[in-house]
């Protein structure tokens, strides 16, 4: 067994608050962190690749996988289905690797309440202000005005679930948020429940202690 158990790191925020940017920075910092590649029924955006950004599925295939228990969690967001495939997550966790999820509050809640809940670290990102959130959404230049208006509306719903998370970061200065995120991950990896080798280590300490005295 690996000397540490993998963490399920959930990063949620209203769309545009900086999840993808911070997720990338976290993985640049520690390349052993796996991204959970979600499945979705939405159409790919320009530049998005199958299997890298998402697994793009038909609605029928998505529903089949949910019915077969192949999704760790799933939700309906902006009129499309999204879900986290279970297999790759379990394999990574068993190998002592952390898995990073960019999912909404519904998915975060389902994972927290699942058998893997005790190995979950959930972090919510808030924008410094609503005008700044709009500016960031527009600066991505990927969505139409109509889609942006819908996302702003939906942001309110997402923000209202901020208090269900372990940690909350206001993503104002990006470098500072990144530093805080890394501190949180570093500390949580040291939770007793993440270190299965501790019992054995203390047993060894005890044997050494008794031998000495
Ligand atoms: P999300 O994944 O939450 O939808 P992104 O990571 O795509 O958000 O960020 C949306 C936009 O805001 C991107 O253009 C990104 O570069 C920018 N951004 C992210 N964090 C900050 C920050 N702290 N300050 C300024 N711009 C930011
Ligand atoms: P987008 O369409 O912008 O990529 O994502 C829209 C929203 O869906 C984001 O809030 C994102 O966090 C959420 N999302 C993406 N993948 C999943 C998933 O697998 N499960 C859940 N519950 N939400 C997801």
């Amino acid at each position: 067994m690996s000397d540490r158990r993998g963490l399920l790191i959930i990063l949620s925020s209203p769309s545009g608050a900086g999840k993808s940017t911070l997720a990338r920075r976290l993985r640049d910092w520690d390349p052993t962190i796996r991204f959970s590649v979600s499945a979705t029924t939405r159409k790919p955006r320009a530049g998005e690749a199958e299997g890298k950004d998402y697994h793009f599925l038909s609605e029928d295939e998505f529903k089949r996988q949910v019915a077969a228990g192949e999704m760790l969690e799933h939700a309906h967001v902006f009129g499309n289905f999204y879900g986290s495939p279970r297999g790759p997550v379990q394999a990574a966790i068993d190998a002592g690797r952390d898995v990073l999820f960019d999912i909404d509050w519904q998915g975060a809640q389902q994972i927290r309440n699942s058998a893997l809940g005790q190995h979950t670290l959930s972090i919510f990102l808030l924008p410094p202000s609503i005008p700044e959130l709009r500016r960031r959404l527009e600066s991505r230049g990927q969505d139409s005005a109509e889609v942006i208006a819908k996302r702003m509306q939906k942001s309110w719903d997402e923000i209202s679930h901020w208090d269900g998370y372990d940690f909350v970061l206001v993503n104002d200065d990006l470098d500072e948020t990144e530093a805080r995120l890394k501190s949180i991950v570093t500390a949580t990896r040291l939770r007793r429940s993440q270190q299965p080798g501790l019992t054995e280590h203390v047993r060894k300490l005890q044997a050494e202690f008794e031998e000495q005295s």
Side-chain angles (χ1 to χ4, degrees), residues 13-21 135-136 139-140 171-172 174:
S13 76
S15 193
K19 268 182 319 243
S20 324
T21 307
R135 194 197 64 73
R136 289 183 194 171
S139 77
R140 278 201 311 212
N171 182 22
D172 193 349
L174 188 53

Side-chain angles (χ1 to χ4, degrees), residues 103-163:
I103 59 177
D104 83 334
W105 68 272
Q106 304 173 78
Q109 198 172 64
Q110 289 171 45
I111 291 182
R112 227 184 349 260
N113 293 333
S114 77
L116 293 172
Q118 63 160 327
H119 303 299
T120 298
L121 162 64
S122 63
I123 302 156
F124 195 86
L125 296 176
L126 284 172
S129 70
I130 295 300
E132 174 60 13
L133 181 63
R134 176 183 291 280
R135 194 197 64 73
R136 289 183 194 171
L137 269 179
E138 287 170 352
S139 77
R140 278 201 311 212
Q142 286 179 329
D143 295 307
S144 66
E146 190 197 337
V147 169
I148 286 178
K150 246 169 79 181
R151 281 178 190 272
M152 286 301 294
Q153 193 64 43
K154 176 80 179 140
S155 288
W156 263 120
D157 184 38
E158 191 68 23
I159 288 174
S160 71
H161 297 280
W162 70 277
D163 58 353

Side-chain angles (χ1 to χ4, degrees), residues 1-4 192 194-203:
M1 195 199 304
S2 164
D3 62 353
R4 77 177 185 89
R192 192 155 41 89
Q194 295 310 118
Q195 301 189 72
L198 278 185
T199 310
E200 189 49 41
H201 182 66
V202 174
R203 217 172 267 141

